[in-house]
Amino acid sequence: MATASDSKYKRTNTNGMQHQPLDVAIVGGGLVGSLLALHLGKKGHEVNLYEYREDIRTAELVIGRSINLALSARGRRALAEVGLEDALLNHGIPMSGRMLHDVNGKCKIVPYDANTNQCIYSVGRKHLNEVLLNAAEKYPNIHLHFNHKLVSANLDEGNLSMVDPVTKDVKSARADLIVGCDGAYSAVRKEIVKRPRYDFSQTYIEHGYLELCIPPTAGGEFAMPHNYLHIWPRGQFMMIALPNQDRTWTVTLFMPFKQFHSITDQGLLLDFFRQHFPDAIELIGRERLVKDFFKTKAQPLVMIKCRPYHIGAKALIIGDAAHAMVPFYGQGMNAGFEDCSVLTELFNQYGTDLTRILPEFSEKRWEDAHAICDLAMYNYIEMRDLVTKRSYLLRKKLDELLFWMMPNTWVPLYNSVSFSHMRYSKCIANRAWQDKILTRVLYGASIASVAAIGGLCYRHVTMGHLERLSTSILSTLQLLKPKASV
């Protein structure tokens, strides 16, 4: 890993040009904020990282979302750029595909990439945050400030006003650049939204989530095969499980709030699980299931879209502050980490010229961010419903075959999102192109088949027989017809 001694802290260097380092204030010390601090600190900038909570490394209980994280190619590259990829991969648990559980307890494996066996990694949110903060602390030009809650900011002047949530002491700071990495309910974005003609949308879906846990076996081993993302798809709702280092499983139940609200006592809960997730009762344990389900309320899921991501040459938002998404594509963290890579590339290109860096970041990222937000919403439908359908499995097999035959031309949607650095918007365009090609080919094949069979059978069957035969062929081919693109 790069260390503090690798950087020149008095001046930064870009393409042979020397620049005075910037004073950067990063609001939010979570995953994206702490990684950005490393990216900018490594370039020699003076970085102050402000986090409203106490230090996660010493806190007994971390309050907030704890949905497991799936680390894939985009996040790995951003970590590699600060020398931390190997450390996180050694900690993470590789998952090579989905393991689907039906209502009878039978399982089916659907690989992510049957050709090259690429995988995603289950990593712990708290562990990853601790690794990033520990690495940042080694740089003398990165300063960590906990219990600093942003209450107001003058984004044109670069002034911040913060309060200590415990002591209520008010503190102020000034920076050349303010970067909001403070999540879906960003205080920095609240200041930006006040500006005229600013595009912003916030969407809550009707489904919420609640976390449960599968403990290790009596022998201390994983209760299920651990190199898979386990899914219990049930049409309008689903349950997933990701493996942890301590051999537990973080289980997340996603379903409509009205369904959560209908389960009001132990009997109704157990009846619900016996009907939809019978194998999970034994895995979780009856008493633990009841305890964990009623311990907390189902939490909401929100999607944020906005643009632009900057104000003048003084302020910027990235990560969930700019593009919070539902968790169903496992790209929330990866997209935020990719923001760090894109921003670093612009610093490499333009030095410290924020009048060029910030507008270009906004222009480069907003379309991709909107695209992955839409893909994440679509993937919920795929995970809870489509993965069990024959048409989905046939299409996946066809994609795998074409990808094997033409790896540089035909890249399946999931592969392009999770295992490449293709722009998210390009991933959608690529899928639309594939759908168009397949539609033409399949309909062309159906017409040719009908014509050929008609010619062979003309003298041996009645017109009614021929019509029924052609209808049967078209129905079969319709199974392979791609679904509408997202």
Side-chain angles (χ1 to χ4, degrees):
M1 185 188 77
T3 63
S5 61
D6 294 327
S7 300
K8 295 181 179 180
Y9 296 104
K10 293 186 178 180
R11 299 183 74 83
T12 62
N13 188 300
T14 304
N15 298 325
M17 300 292 291
Q18 296 290 316
H19 305 277
Q20 287 292 340
L22 298 172
D23 286 323
V24 182
I26 297 176
V27 181
L31 301 178
V32 175
S34 51
L35 179 61
L36 182 62
L38 282 167
H39 273 254
L40 297 182
K42 186 170 180 283
K43 296 186 69 61
H45 298 294
E46 198 74 18
V47 179
N48 284 281
L49 182 67
Y50 299 101
E51 167 57 44
Y52 84 92
R53 296 170 298 186
E54 62 182 312
D55 191 339
I56 193 174
R57 296 168 296 178
T58 58
E60 292 185 8
L61 176 65
V62 179
I63 299 173
R65 285 178 47 173
S66 58
I67 291 176
N68 278 52
L69 302 169
L71 179 64
S72 54
R74 300 169 198 270
R76 289 176 58 177
R77 181 174 69 174
L79 290 168
E81 288 165 348
V82 294
L84 291 175
E85 180 187 19
D86 289 342
L88 270 303
L89 292 187
N90 290 336
H91 165 81
I93 299 173
M95 300 181 294
S96 59
R98 298 164 173 168
M99 183 169 284
L100 309 181
H101 296 243
D102 69 16
V103 290
N104 298 314
K106 295 181 180 178
C107 296
K108 176 189 294 183
I109 295 172
V110 181
Y112 289 131
D113 184 352
N115 295 326
T116 60
N117 297 318
Q118 297 191 81
C119 61
I120 59 177
Y121 289 80
S122 175
V123 296
R125 179 186 297 272
K126 185 174 187 293
H127 175 81
L128 177 52
N129 208 165
E130 290 174 345
V131 168
L132 293 171
L133 290 173
N134 288 337
E137 207 167 44
K138 295 178 181 178
Y139 285 79
N141 57 324
I142 299 178
H143 314 282
L144 308 180
H145 309 274
F146 299 99
N147 295 312
H148 280 62
K149 182 179 180 180
L150 180 69
V151 290
S152 65
N154 184 328
L155 301 181
D156 295 305
E157 300 295 329
N159 295 325
L160 301 168
S161 180
M162 290 159 287
V163 64
D164 186 318
V166 179
T167 66
K168 306 303 180 184
D169 292 339
V170 177
K171 302 174 183 180
S172 60
R174 191 175 187 284
D176 299 316
L177 172 63
I178 298 170
V179 186
C181 304
D182 47 341
Y185 305 101
S186 168
V188 177
R189 191 187 64 238
K190 286 179 182 177
E191 296 292 330
I192 298 177
V193 169
K194 298 175 183 177
R195 305 296 176 111
R197 300 178 61 195
Y198 188 78
D199 289 336
F200 171 77
S201 69
Q202 173 180 284
T203 305
Y204 283 95
I205 66 173
E206 64 180 16
H207 296 234
Y209 74 92
L210 188 145
E211 286 195 347
L212 304 168
C213 178
I214 294 176
T217 65
E221 298 301 321
F222 282 108
M224 302 183 292
H226 65 279
N227 291 124
Y228 301 96
L229 167 64
H230 289 252
I231 307 178
W232 290 258
R234 298 296 182 263
Q236 291 303 308
F237 53 91
M238 71 172 183
M239 192 164 69
I240 68 171
L242 281 84
N244 298 313
Q245 282 288 338
D246 61 1
R247 290 173 171 71
T248 63
W249 294 82
T250 298
V251 181
T252 311
L253 175 61
F254 298 96
M255 66 181 183
F257 277 103
K258 63 181 181 181
Q259 204 150 7
F260 276 116
H261 296 157
S262 70
I263 302 174
T264 55
D265 59 41
Q266 174 178 324
L268 290 172
L269 173 63
L270 293 175
D271 286 345
F272 174 77
F273 265 74
R274 289 189 192 104
Q275 180 180 356
H276 298 291
F277 312 111
D279 60 329
I281 297 176
E282 183 178 351
L283 290 167
I284 297 171
R286 178 172 168 166
E287 291 184 6
R288 183 163 193 160
L289 170 61
V290 173
K291 177 184 176 183
D292 288 352
F293 187 91
F294 292 108
K295 181 172 62 178
T296 57
K297 294 182 179 180
Q299 299 299 305
L301 295 165
V302 66
M303 177 176 70
I304 300 290
K305 290 182 178 180
C306 60
R307 62 178 292 207
Y309 298 143
H310 74 288
I311 291 294
K314 286 282 188 182
L316 179 72
I317 52 174
I318 70 171
D320 282 356
H323 45 71
M325 64 196 72
V326 293
F328 305 115
Y329 226 116
Q331 287 295 303
M333 173 189 69
N334 291 286
F337 281 9
E338 190 174 57
D339 286 346
C340 297
S341 293
V342 172
L343 189 58
T344 298
E345 289 172 5
L346 293 173
F347 271 93
N348 291 339
Q349 185 175 353
Y350 298 122
T352 57
D353 187 353
L354 297 178
T355 62
R356 302 182 71 180
I357 293 170
L358 303 194
E360 189 161 330
F361 178 87
S362 281
E363 189 58 32
K364 241 179 140 173
R365 274 314 260 176
W366 77 265
E367 189 175 3
D368 291 330
H370 288 195
I372 189 57
C373 283
D374 291 338
L375 280 171
M377 197 72 77
Y378 161 79
N379 212 45
Y380 185 29
I381 300 171
E382 177 175 304
M383 292 175 73
R384 78 185 192 215
D385 187 22
L386 299 184
V387 291
T388 63
K389 298 190 180 300
R390 187 166 52 153
S391 57
Y392 169 84
L393 296 173
L394 286 171
R395 172 60 190 268
K396 184 167 178 60
K397 290 293 184 184
L398 181 58
D399 275 335
E400 289 172 356
L401 175 62
L402 293 172
F403 184 39
W404 175 76
M405 295 171 61
M406 303 176 290
N408 296 321
T409 303
W410 195 277
V411 183
L413 178 61
Y414 189 89
N415 296 62
S416 66
V417 171
S418 297
F419 303 132
S420 85
H421 303 291
M422 184 186 296
R423 292 184 60 173
Y424 288 124
S425 54
K426 174 65 174 173
C427 294
I428 290 182
N430 187 56
R431 173 63 174 230
W433 169 79
Q434 292 172 353
D435 287 355
K436 188 175 181 180
I437 293 295
L438 286 181
T439 299
R440 289 179 176 178
V441 169
L442 293 174
Y443 274 103
S446 69
I447 292 171
S449 298
V450 170
I453 293 172
L456 290 171
C457 301
Y458 179 73
R459 294 182 180 178
H460 303 284
V461 298
T462 66
M463 184 58 71
H465 287 130
L466 186 57
E467 287 177 352
R468 287 193 292 273
L469 182 60
S470 63
T471 299
S472 176
I473 292 170
L474 287 170
S475 297
T476 301
L477 288 168
Q478 188 70 15
L479 288 173
L480 289 172
K481 182 183 176 183
K483 300 293 182 183
S485 299
V486 293

